[in-house]
Amino acid sequence: MPGLFGLSAANPLLLLGALSVASPIIIHLLARRRYRTIYWAAMDFLLDAQKRNRRRVQLEHLILLLLRCLIMILIALLLARLMFTPTGLAALALGTAEVERIVVLDDSPSMSARQGPRSAFDQAKARAIELVDSLIAQRGNNKLTLMLTSNPGRPLFSGEILNEEFGQRFREALEGAGGADDGLQPSDRYAQWAAALEQVRRHIDEQDVSPNRAVYLLTDLREHDFPIDEGEESGEDSVKAAMAALEPHVDSILIVDFGEQDTTNLAITDVQVLEKSIVRDRPTNFSVTVSNFGPTDATGATVRLVAAGAMITRELDAVPAGGEQVVNIPMTFVQTGHEEVVVELEFPDMMPADNTHHLAARVVRGVRILMVDGGDPDLPGAVSGRSEVEFLRHAVDPAGRQRSGHVIRVVSVDEFESLSRRDLQRPDVIYLANVYQLSESRVRELEEYVEAGGGLLIYLGDKARRDFYNDMMHRDGEGLLPVRLIDIEGDPRRETGYSAVPVSTGHQLATIFSPEIMLGARLFLWWHTEIPEDLIDGGQATLISRVDHPQRSPLMVSRNFGLGRVLVTTTGPRPNWNNLINLPVTVVALQRATEWVTRSDAGRGTMLVGSRIVEEIDLARFEPRVRLRPPAGDDVQRLVTTDDETGLTHIMFGGAEEADERARLSAAGFYRLRLSEREGGEVEWLYATNVDPRESDLTRVDAGELVRGYGVEKLGVITGDQVAEAAGTGGGRRELSRTLLTLLVMVLAAELLLGWWFGRRRS
Amino acid sequence: MPKIAGQQFLDPSIIEKIKRMDVRARAVVDGFITGMHKSPYHGFAVEFATHREYVPGDEIKHIDWKVWSKTDRLYIKEYEEETNLKCTIILDCSKSMDYGQTGRDRRGPGKFDYAATIAASLAYLLQSQADQVGLVMFDTAIRKALPASSNPAHLKLILHELDQAKPDHKTDVGDVFHGLAEQIGKRGLVVLVSDLFVDTRTLQETMRHFRHRKHEMVVFHVMHDDEVTFPFQDNVLFKGLEIDMELLTEPRALRRTYLEAVDRFKSQVRRACSTSGIDYVPLSTTDSLDAALSSYLAFRQRAIRGARRR
C-alpha cells in the first residue's frame, strides 16, 4: 500500500535504520568528550585564532554533520527498498513501471472436467493467452512467469519479457504449434497448492528484481484444494499459511475461477484384491469401489475389468449421491508373472480422468510356505513314522485336482539355520513345528522377517525347549511368542481328553473353535502357558481359544508384530497329544490359519501418481544398471546405489528430489522396472499409478468464504472474463534504489570533497 | 677531532641528553668552534702574554716565525687581552618558558632548557674570550642577578645558577627591564633570551630604554617547535600556562589562523627590534644551537670593527 506521497518500503522494518541518523551526532558528541590536555604558553594567539575562526569552523562542522546524517538516512532507505507509486502528474510523467506477473496454472486432473465443449483447463489456457496478449498490447515494461501446480519448481517460463515474439512462443507452448491437441494438457498429479505458493515465494526471492508483482492462480477452486479450516495439524504447510507468507512479497494474489457449477462426477476410488496373494489358477476377487461425488444418484454405470486378455463387465446398481458402490469381480489368472489390470468405469460424467484405475498384479505360483521340521519321526507319537510336518504339509496342500495355491518347502532345523538372510525373507509364511531351539541370530532375523510383514506359525510340541522359547522367543512379551511356557499338561495316557473353546469371538479364526465345528475334538497334552496381561490389554496379542480345563490354558494365540502376524498353537498335530489330525475340520482350520498369517502382497506395486518406487536390488543376481519404462516416452536408465550406513543396495525413482521428469511417476498408468540378470535373461517388475481420489471431488469452495477465511488482504477471486481487465491494474510501484544509490554516491563524494577542502584550508 | 663529531653537539636533541650545564656549554661551544675556520680564542690587545702551540684554525699571521726559525715548531704569540666587552645575559624564567619541559607528548628539548643552554653556551664562549659576562634571570621580578665578570670562577657560578633555575610565574618585562637598564651601569652588550610573550608595545619601550642607556642588544626569541608549527591533530584542551584560561578545540581547524597570529607577532617583534637597532634572532627548539652563537659572534665582530673605527 503506498504511504505518504506514494512512498512505501519493501522492507519497512529496515526503515528503523534511519534512526542511525543519530550516529554521526553521537560520534561527534563522544569525540568531544575525548581530548587531551596541554598546558599552553601562547594562549593569546590561540584565543585570537579561535575568535577569528569560530563562525567558519562551526559552519563547516554543521555542513559535514548534515551530510553524514544524510548518508545514514540514504543507507537506511536503500536497505528498506523504498518504493514510489506515481500518482497524478507524476504517473503521467514517469509512465508505467515494471510489473512481473506470475501465473500459476492448475493442471491437476480435476481441471480436465468439462461441462461444455471445453474443459476448465482449456478455458484457463485461453485466458492466460488473452492475458499475455493484452499485456503485450499495453507495451508496458512487463514480465511473465508461468508455473504449473504439477511441477512448480520448474516454471515453463521464468521472468520472460513480454513482447510479440514471446507471445507467439507462449501461445505455442499452451495450445500447440498447429492449434491441435499437442499443447499443454492436464497432468495426473494432485494439485499441491501450498507447495506451489511456496515455490512462487522462492522464485520471487531468487529473482528479486521487479518491485511489482501480481500473482494469478488459475484454478477450478475446489474445496479440497483450498480448504478453509485445515485444522491445527497442517500448520505451516497449509495453503492459507503459504498464501499469508507470500502476501508481503506481492501486490496482489488473484484467484481466477474456472470451476463448473455442476459437480456431477463418478469415479473409481479404489480397487482391492481380496486375497492376500494373486495365485495362478485360483480365483482372485477384485473389489471395485465406485464413488458418486455428484449431488444426484447415478444409475446405469458399468464397470469393466480388463486383464490378461480377458474382460469382465458388471452393471452397477444406482450409486447414491455422495455415497459409493462396491462390486466384486472375480478373475482367474492362468500364468504367473506381472499382469496389467485395468478397471474402467463407463459413465457420462464431467471428468473422465478418474474413470480408469490401474493395478499391478503379481500372479504367483502359490503362497510360499517354509516349514521347519523340528520333530523326530522315530519318537513315539509320530504319525505312522512321520513327523508333524508331514501332516501339516498334506493338510495345507492336500492332494487332489483343486489346487490349494500353496507352495511348500520343508527344511530341517539345521537347514533352516543355514538359510541366507535373503532366502529367509522370501517365504510368505514360516511354520516352526515342534522346533527344539534356534540360534540367537536366526531369531533376530525371524523378528525382522515378521516385522516386515511375514507370517509365522508356531506349533509347540514335546521337543520345544522351554528356556529357549521363554528367553529368546517370548522375551517378557517383547519377542515373537506371545505366551510364556510353563509346563506340559494333560493326560499322557490319553484317558481324559479336553475340548477346545473359543475365547475372542470377534477374531476371524475364533469360529474354527466353535463346538459345532470342533465336535469330537479331544486334547490330551498341551503346553500350559500364560499370556502377559499387557499384551492382551495393549491389543498386541489375542487369545483365540483355550483348553476347556480348570487351568484354562491358552490353545491358540495370535500376535501382531510389526507389519506381520504370529500364530501359536500350544498343542502339536501328534496322535498322543490330541485327536485333531483325525478330524476333517483340521484341514480347513489350518488353511484358514495359514491364510490369516500370510503376508499380503496383492496390492504391492499399485500406488498414487507422484509416489516413489524404492526397491532393494540384489547385485549378486542383477546387473547394477536398471531401466524404468514409463507409460509414455523413453526408458530411464539408472544405476543401483549403495547406502553408506546400511550397505544395502537399492534403486529409487520419483519423490521430491527426482530430477528426471520421466521418472517422477507423474502420469497415471503402468511403469515397468527392467533388471538384467547376471546369468543372462531379464526380469521385469510392474508398478501401477493412479490419480489421487481426492481429485474426483469437484465440490467447490465459496469464493467469499475463502477470502474471509484466509484473511489475506491482497487476495481476490475473479472470473476468467475479468483476467484481461485486471491486468491493467497490477502494480505501478517503482523502486527508488537506483536514485537513492546515485544520491548516496553524490553525498558521499560531497562529504569527502568538502572534508578535504575544509582540511586544506585549515592547514 | 672530526668536524662532524663536534657539530653533533649543536643538535638540541643530542645536547639535551647532557645533564650538567657546564659540560653542556663546553660541548656546544667546542662543537661550534671546531667547525669554524678561524679561531675566536684570542684577544685584540697588543701586550704580549705567552706562547702557545699552533692549532689548526689559528690565523697564520699570529705565528711567531722567530720561534719557528729556532725550534722548527709553530707557536702562536698570545697577548694579554684587553677586555672592553661587558655582556649581561637576561634569561626569561617565566611560566611560559616551561612549555615542553615535561609531559608524555614532549618532543625535543623544552623551551627553557633550550634557552638556558643558549645562555650557558654564550657565557662559556664569552668567558673563553675573557669578556665579562653577567646573568640576570627574571619573571615578574628579577629572581637572580649576577654582575658581569671575567673571572673563571664567575662562569661556574653562572652555570650553576642556570642548572638550578626553574621557570615560574608570569612574565612582566616592563618594570623588570626598566630597572635593569638602570642597573647595568657601564654600557655593554645585553643578550635577552625569552619567548617574548609580553605586550609588544611594552617590550619596545623597554628595549628603547636599553638603547637609550647605550647598551648594545641581541634578542634571542626562543619559541618551542610546537608553538611554531602547531602540529596537534585530535581534540585538545589548551590550558594557559600564564593566564587562567581554557580552550577545548579541534586544533586542525585553528592551525592556519594560529600560525598567522604567530607570524604577525614575530613580525611585530622583529620590527620593534629593527627600529631600535637591536639584533633579533628567532629560534625554535629544533634549531641548531650554532645559530645563537653565530649571531653573537657576528655581532661581536661588528662591535670590534666599530670600536676600531672609533
Side-chain angles (χ1 to χ4, degrees), chain B residues 289-301:
Chain B
L289 286 156
D290 63 348
L293 299 179
S294 301
S295 311
Y296 161 71
L297 286 178
F299 169 78
R300 193 169 181 276
Q301 287 295 327

mmCIF file with all atom_site columns, all heavy atoms in Angstrom, chain B residues 289-301:
data_model
loop_
_atom_site.group_PDB
_atom_site.id
_atom_site.type_symbol
_atom_site.label_atom_id
_atom_site.label_alt_id
_atom_site.label_comp_id
_atom_site.label_asym_id
_atom_site.label_entity_id
_atom_site.label_seq_id
_atom_site.pdbx_PDB_ins_code
_atom_site.Cartn_x
_atom_site.Cartn_y
_atom_site.Cartn_z
_atom_site.occupancy
_atom_site.B_iso_or_equiv
_atom_site.pdbx_formal_charge
_atom_site.auth_seq_id
_atom_site.auth_comp_id
_atom_site.auth_asym_id
_atom_site.auth_atom_id
_atom_site.pdbx_PDB_model_num
ATOM 1   N N   . LEU B 1 289 ? 72.019 24.838 17.680 1.00 0.00 ? 289 LEU B N   1
ATOM 2   C CA  . LEU B 1 289 ? 72.431 25.844 18.664 1.00 0.00 ? 289 LEU B CA  1
ATOM 3   C C   . LEU B 1 289 ? 73.483 26.819 18.134 1.00 0.00 ? 289 LEU B C   1
ATOM 4   O O   . LEU B 1 289 ? 73.735 27.872 18.728 1.00 0.00 ? 289 LEU B O   1
ATOM 5   C CB  . LEU B 1 289 ? 72.969 25.137 19.906 1.00 0.00 ? 289 LEU B CB  1
ATOM 6   C CG  . LEU B 1 289 ? 71.883 24.492 20.781 1.00 0.00 ? 289 LEU B CG  1
ATOM 7   C CD1 . LEU B 1 289 ? 72.463 23.375 21.593 1.00 0.00 ? 289 LEU B CD1 1
ATOM 8   C CD2 . LEU B 1 289 ? 71.220 25.528 21.666 1.00 0.00 ? 289 LEU B CD2 1
ATOM 9   N N   . ASP B 1 290 ? 74.105 26.482 17.013 1.00 0.00 ? 290 ASP B N   1
ATOM 10  C CA  . ASP B 1 290 ? 75.139 27.378 16.490 1.00 0.00 ? 290 ASP B CA  1
ATOM 11  C C   . ASP B 1 290 ? 74.556 28.680 15.958 1.00 0.00 ? 290 ASP B C   1
ATOM 12  O O   . ASP B 1 290 ? 75.253 29.675 15.844 1.00 0.00 ? 290 ASP B O   1
ATOM 13  C CB  . ASP B 1 290 ? 75.982 26.685 15.420 1.00 0.00 ? 290 ASP B CB  1
ATOM 14  C CG  . ASP B 1 290 ? 75.150 26.295 14.215 1.00 0.00 ? 290 ASP B CG  1
ATOM 15  O OD1 . ASP B 1 290 ? 73.906 26.361 14.333 1.00 0.00 ? 290 ASP B OD1 1
ATOM 16  O OD2 . ASP B 1 290 ? 75.723 25.906 13.180 1.00 0.00 ? 290 ASP B OD2 1
ATOM 17  N N   . ALA B 1 291 ? 73.268 28.692 15.672 1.00 0.00 ? 291 ALA B N   1
ATOM 18  C CA  . ALA B 1 291 ? 72.642 29.916 15.165 1.00 0.00 ? 291 ALA B CA  1
ATOM 19  C C   . ALA B 1 291 ? 72.818 31.041 16.184 1.00 0.00 ? 291 ALA B C   1
ATOM 20  O O   . ALA B 1 291 ? 73.152 32.185 15.829 1.00 0.00 ? 291 ALA B O   1
ATOM 21  C CB  . ALA B 1 291 ? 71.164 29.670 14.895 1.00 0.00 ? 291 ALA B CB  1
ATOM 22  N N   . ALA B 1 292 ? 72.609 30.699 17.456 1.00 0.00 ? 292 ALA B N   1
ATOM 23  C CA  . ALA B 1 292 ? 72.719 31.710 18.501 1.00 0.00 ? 292 ALA B CA  1
ATOM 24  C C   . ALA B 1 292 ? 74.166 32.193 18.624 1.00 0.00 ? 292 ALA B C   1
ATOM 25  O O   . ALA B 1 292 ? 74.437 33.400 18.694 1.00 0.00 ? 292 ALA B O   1
ATOM 26  C CB  . ALA B 1 292 ? 72.238 31.118 19.820 1.00 0.00 ? 292 ALA B CB  1
ATOM 27  N N   . LEU B 1 293 ? 75.073 31.188 18.620 1.00 0.00 ? 293 LEU B N   1
ATOM 28  C CA  . LEU B 1 293 ? 76.483 31.552 18.796 1.00 0.00 ? 293 LEU B CA  1
ATOM 29  C C   . LEU B 1 293 ? 76.998 32.370 17.605 1.00 0.00 ? 293 LEU B C   1
ATOM 30  O O   . LEU B 1 293 ? 77.734 33.338 17.762 1.00 0.00 ? 293 LEU B O   1
ATOM 31  C CB  . LEU B 1 293 ? 77.314 30.277 18.969 1.00 0.00 ? 293 LEU B CB  1
ATOM 32  C CG  . LEU B 1 293 ? 76.924 29.434 20.207 1.00 0.00 ? 293 LEU B CG  1
ATOM 33  C CD1 . LEU B 1 293 ? 77.771 28.178 20.283 1.00 0.00 ? 293 LEU B CD1 1
ATOM 34  C CD2 . LEU B 1 293 ? 77.061 30.246 21.481 1.00 0.00 ? 293 LEU B CD2 1
ATOM 35  N N   . SER B 1 294 ? 76.567 31.950 16.384 1.00 0.00 ? 294 SER B N   1
ATOM 36  C CA  . SER B 1 294 ? 76.982 32.686 15.178 1.00 0.00 ? 294 SER B CA  1
ATOM 37  C C   . SER B 1 294 ? 76.498 34.127 15.243 1.00 0.00 ? 294 SER B C   1
ATOM 38  O O   . SER B 1 294 ? 77.246 35.072 14.930 1.00 0.00 ? 294 SER B O   1
ATOM 39  C CB  . SER B 1 294 ? 76.395 32.038 13.919 1.00 0.00 ? 294 SER B CB  1
ATOM 40  O OG  . SER B 1 294 ? 76.825 30.738 13.827 1.00 0.00 ? 294 SER B OG  1
ATOM 41  N N   . SER B 1 295 ? 75.250 34.286 15.662 1.00 0.00 ? 295 SER B N   1
ATOM 42  C CA  . SER B 1 295 ? 74.681 35.639 15.737 1.00 0.00 ? 295 SER B CA  1
ATOM 43  C C   . SER B 1 295 ? 75.492 36.490 16.718 1.00 0.00 ? 295 SER B C   1
ATOM 44  O O   . SER B 1 295 ? 75.771 37.659 16.471 1.00 0.00 ? 295 SER B O   1
ATOM 45  C CB  . SER B 1 295 ? 73.236 35.600 16.214 1.00 0.00 ? 295 SER B CB  1
ATOM 46  O OG  . SER B 1 295 ? 72.548 34.664 15.492 1.00 0.00 ? 295 SER B OG  1
ATOM 47  N N   . TYR B 1 296 ? 75.831 35.827 17.825 1.00 0.00 ? 296 TYR B N   1
ATOM 48  C CA  . TYR B 1 296 ? 76.600 36.582 18.819 1.00 0.00 ? 296 TYR B CA  1
ATOM 49  C C   . TYR B 1 296 ? 77.947 37.000 18.243 1.00 0.00 ? 296 TYR B C   1
ATOM 50  O O   . TYR B 1 296 ? 78.353 38.161 18.370 1.00 0.00 ? 296 TYR B O   1
ATOM 51  C CB  . TYR B 1 296 ? 76.786 35.742 20.086 1.00 0.00 ? 296 TYR B CB  1
ATOM 52  C CG  . TYR B 1 296 ? 77.916 36.257 20.924 1.00 0.00 ? 296 TYR B CG  1
ATOM 53  C CD1 . TYR B 1 296 ? 77.787 37.479 21.628 1.00 0.00 ? 296 TYR B CD1 1
ATOM 54  C CD2 . TYR B 1 296 ? 79.139 35.605 20.974 1.00 0.00 ? 296 TYR B CD2 1
ATOM 55  C CE1 . TYR B 1 296 ? 78.837 37.973 22.362 1.00 0.00 ? 296 TYR B CE1 1
ATOM 56  C CE2 . TYR B 1 296 ? 80.191 36.094 21.704 1.00 0.00 ? 296 TYR B CE2 1
ATOM 57  C CZ  . TYR B 1 296 ? 80.041 37.283 22.400 1.00 0.00 ? 296 TYR B CZ  1
ATOM 58  O OH  . TYR B 1 296 ? 81.101 37.802 23.105 1.00 0.00 ? 296 TYR B OH  1
ATOM 59  N N   . LEU B 1 297 ? 78.652 36.053 17.585 1.00 0.00 ? 297 LEU B N   1
ATOM 60  C CA  . LEU B 1 297 ? 79.985 36.364 17.064 1.00 0.00 ? 297 LEU B CA  1
ATOM 61  C C   . LEU B 1 297 ? 79.921 37.434 15.990 1.00 0.00 ? 297 LEU B C   1
ATOM 62  O O   . LEU B 1 297 ? 80.784 38.331 15.924 1.00 0.00 ? 297 LEU B O   1
ATOM 63  C CB  . LEU B 1 297 ? 80.637 35.090 16.514 1.00 0.00 ? 297 LEU B CB  1
ATOM 64  C CG  . LEU B 1 297 ? 81.133 34.120 17.602 1.00 0.00 ? 297 LEU B CG  1
ATOM 65  C CD1 . LEU B 1 297 ? 81.720 32.874 16.971 1.00 0.00 ? 297 LEU B CD1 1
ATOM 66  C CD2 . LEU B 1 297 ? 82.170 34.797 18.497 1.00 0.00 ? 297 LEU B CD2 1
ATOM 67  N N   . ALA B 1 298 ? 78.900 37.348 15.162 1.00 0.00 ? 298 ALA B N   1
ATOM 68  C CA  . ALA B 1 298 ? 78.725 38.364 14.116 1.00 0.00 ? 298 ALA B CA  1
ATOM 69  C C   . ALA B 1 298 ? 78.571 39.741 14.762 1.00 0.00 ? 298 ALA B C   1
ATOM 70  O O   . ALA B 1 298 ? 79.190 40.734 14.332 1.00 0.00 ? 298 ALA B O   1
ATOM 71  C CB  . ALA B 1 298 ? 77.506 38.036 13.280 1.00 0.00 ? 298 ALA B CB  1
ATOM 72  N N   . PHE B 1 299 ? 77.749 39.726 15.793 1.00 0.00 ? 299 PHE B N   1
ATOM 73  C CA  . PHE B 1 299 ? 77.545 40.999 16.500 1.00 0.00 ? 299 PHE B CA  1
ATOM 74  C C   . PHE B 1 299 ? 78.866 41.497 17.093 1.00 0.00 ? 299 PHE B C   1
ATOM 75  O O   . PHE B 1 299 ? 79.206 42.659 17.024 1.00 0.00 ? 299 PHE B O   1
ATOM 76  C CB  . PHE B 1 299 ? 76.506 40.769 17.608 1.00 0.00 ? 299 PHE B CB  1
ATOM 77  C CG  . PHE B 1 299 ? 76.396 41.912 18.556 1.00 0.00 ? 299 PHE B CG  1
ATOM 78  C CD1 . PHE B 1 299 ? 75.688 43.057 18.213 1.00 0.00 ? 299 PHE B CD1 1
ATOM 79  C CD2 . PHE B 1 299 ? 77.034 41.879 19.785 1.00 0.00 ? 299 PHE B CD2 1
ATOM 80  C CE1 . PHE B 1 299 ? 75.625 44.119 19.092 1.00 0.00 ? 299 PHE B CE1 1
ATOM 81  C CE2 . PHE B 1 299 ? 76.963 42.941 20.658 1.00 0.00 ? 299 PHE B CE2 1
ATOM 82  C CZ  . PHE B 1 299 ? 76.254 44.065 20.313 1.00 0.00 ? 299 PHE B CZ  1
ATOM 83  N N   . ARG B 1 300 ? 79.667 40.576 17.644 1.00 0.00 ? 300 ARG B N   1
ATOM 84  C CA  . ARG B 1 300 ? 80.910 40.957 18.320 1.00 0.00 ? 300 ARG B CA  1
ATOM 85  C C   . ARG B 1 300 ? 81.910 41.546 17.312 1.00 0.00 ? 300 ARG B C   1
ATOM 86  O O   . ARG B 1 300 ? 82.603 42.529 17.607 1.00 0.00 ? 300 ARG B O   1
ATOM 87  C CB  . ARG B 1 300 ? 81.493 39.714 18.990 1.00 0.00 ? 300 ARG B CB  1
ATOM 88  C CG  . ARG B 1 300 ? 82.595 40.022 19.966 1.00 0.00 ? 300 ARG B CG  1
ATOM 89  C CD  . ARG B 1 300 ? 82.897 38.750 20.757 1.00 0.00 ? 300 ARG B CD  1
ATOM 90  N NE  . ARG B 1 300 ? 83.945 39.000 21.721 1.00 0.00 ? 300 ARG B NE  1
ATOM 91  C CZ  . ARG B 1 300 ? 85.234 38.947 21.446 1.00 0.00 ? 300 ARG B CZ  1
ATOM 92  N NH1 . ARG B 1 300 ? 85.640 38.678 20.218 1.00 0.00 ? 300 ARG B NH1 1
ATOM 93  N NH2 . ARG B 1 300 ? 86.130 39.172 22.391 1.00 0.00 ? 300 ARG B NH2 1
ATOM 94  N N   . GLN B 1 301 ? 81.949 40.873 16.150 1.00 0.00 ? 301 GLN B N   1
ATOM 95  C CA  . GLN B 1 301 ? 82.844 41.381 15.111 1.00 0.00 ? 301 GLN B CA  1
ATOM 96  C C   . GLN B 1 301 ? 82.491 42.821 14.760 1.00 0.00 ? 301 GLN B C   1
ATOM 97  O O   . GLN B 1 301 ? 83.358 43.666 14.601 1.00 0.00 ? 301 GLN B O   1
ATOM 98  C CB  . GLN B 1 301 ? 82.752 40.500 13.851 1.00 0.00 ? 301 GLN B CB  1
ATOM 99  C CG  . GLN B 1 301 ? 83.416 39.142 13.983 1.00 0.00 ? 301 GLN B CG  1
ATOM 100 C CD  . GLN B 1 301 ? 84.929 39.270 14.163 1.00 0.00 ? 301 GLN B CD  1
ATOM 101 O OE1 . GLN B 1 301 ? 85.563 40.190 13.629 1.00 0.00 ? 301 GLN B OE1 1
ATOM 102 N NE2 . GLN B 1 301 ? 85.516 38.388 14.957 1.00 0.00 ? 301 GLN B NE2 1
#
